[in-house]
Amino acid sequence: MQRESAGSRDGAVARSLLHVNLVAAVAFMLGGSFFALGAAFAQLAVGSMETVNITYLIGGFFFSLGGYASILLVVNMTNVERGSTKVTRTRWWTHQPHQLGWSSAVVLFVGTLLFAVSLVAAFAAGLTPRQSNGWIWLPDILGCVCFLVSGHLAMLDVCGGHIGLRVHSLGWWVVAVNQFGSVLFFLAGLAAFTRPATSRSLDIALVNWGTFAGAVCFAIGGGLQMFDKPEPARREVQCNP
């Protein structure tokens, strides 16, 4: 009976993790797709600037959803006790700074929130170059830095504490593709700085194409993540006789 209960519980945990992983994967796919669409609209002058900003904002929502789902995935992957017949409840948050995966997910989520500040501020009209850089560019570039740091921590996590190649690991490919996208986002973010003398970005083409290519990477990474099955990390507990 204990084996049956444990097996049932393990199956429930595995299904829960698969569902959370699917939410994260689909969210990043949609976030990347909307960001790519917004960048394409901006570069090709399709629609108004408001249309571009709305498209980016929708993508930002899905990026934030994917970031929080990533946190849920990490905290619940360690929420299993071997030797216990008790069904463990889903955790919505926990503090695990010693876990590389947790740190990566939290930093990523913070980055998506910084992006959200930038995306909302983009709707403001009549901003001076200084205001534009303070409310739009600064949160954006800080979000890009968070994405880079998150990707580095995730790479350390999947490679066992050091950067390396794991070409036969699907999880490694998810992290690698996303990290390449983060680099492209960072370059686009640098190019988006508004020059006070001209009130224009340093390189608008790099802003749009860098964002487009980086967003495509995240959409691809989300697609790969759908096939990467999360495995719960078990904690040993003492069983009273």
Side-chain angles (χ1 to χ4, degrees), residues 45-209:
V46 176
S48 64
M49 199 63 209
E50 184 177 4
T51 300
V52 173
N53 290 336
I54 290 174
T55 305
Y56 274 135
L57 188 62
I58 295 172
F61 166 78
F62 284 112
F63 268 122
S64 293
L65 176 62
Y68 180 62
S70 298
I71 295 176
L72 288 182
L73 187 62
V74 172
V75 300
N76 286 287
M77 283 177 70
T78 57
N79 195 20
V80 182
E81 296 181 353
R82 178 177 293 153
S84 171
T85 59
K86 187 188 301 183
V87 177
T88 311
R89 294 181 178 179
T90 299
R91 289 176 178 171
W92 298 101
W93 172 259
T94 187
H95 191 234
Q96 299 178 357
H98 58 285
Q99 295 272 1
L100 284 172
W102 181 89
S103 298
S104 173
V106 169
V107 172
L108 176 67
F109 183 57
V110 170
T112 68
L113 297 181
L114 288 167
F115 279 157
V117 173
S118 175
L119 294 172
V120 171
F123 285 91
L127 294 179
T128 65
R130 182 176 180 180
Q131 291 172 329
S132 178
N133 286 330
W135 286 102
I136 301 175
W137 180 80
L138 182 60
D140 179 67
I141 198 66
L142 290 176
C144 292
V145 171
C146 284
F147 270 47
L148 284 173
V149 173
S150 171
H152 179 73
L153 293 173
M155 185 63 73
L156 290 175
D157 187 38
V158 298
C159 293
H162 58 86
I163 303 298
L165 295 175
R166 300 289 176 88
V167 294
H168 298 296
S169 168
L170 183 56
W172 182 90
W173 280 106
V174 172
V175 173
V177 171
N178 286 341
Q179 183 68 336
F180 185 60
S182 297
V183 172
L184 293 171
F185 273 176
F186 180 72
L187 295 176
L190 290 177
F193 182 80
T194 301
R195 287 183 285 193
T198 62
S199 297
R200 293 177 61 86
S201 299
L202 295 176
D203 191 334
I204 191 63
L206 178 56
V207 172
N208 293 331
W209 289 120

Side-chain angles (χ1 to χ4, degrees), residues 8-55:
S8 176
R9 178 198 44 149
D10 290 348
V13 170
R15 287 191 296 272
S16 176
L17 291 176
L18 284 174
H19 292 158
V20 175
N21 185 68
L22 181 61
V23 170
V26 171
F28 283 124
M29 284 182 64
L30 291 175
S33 297
F34 275 101
F35 257 56
L37 191 61
F41 284 167
Q43 179 62 28
L44 302 176
V46 176
S48 64
M49 199 63 209
E50 184 177 4
T51 300
V52 173
N53 290 336
I54 290 174
T55 305

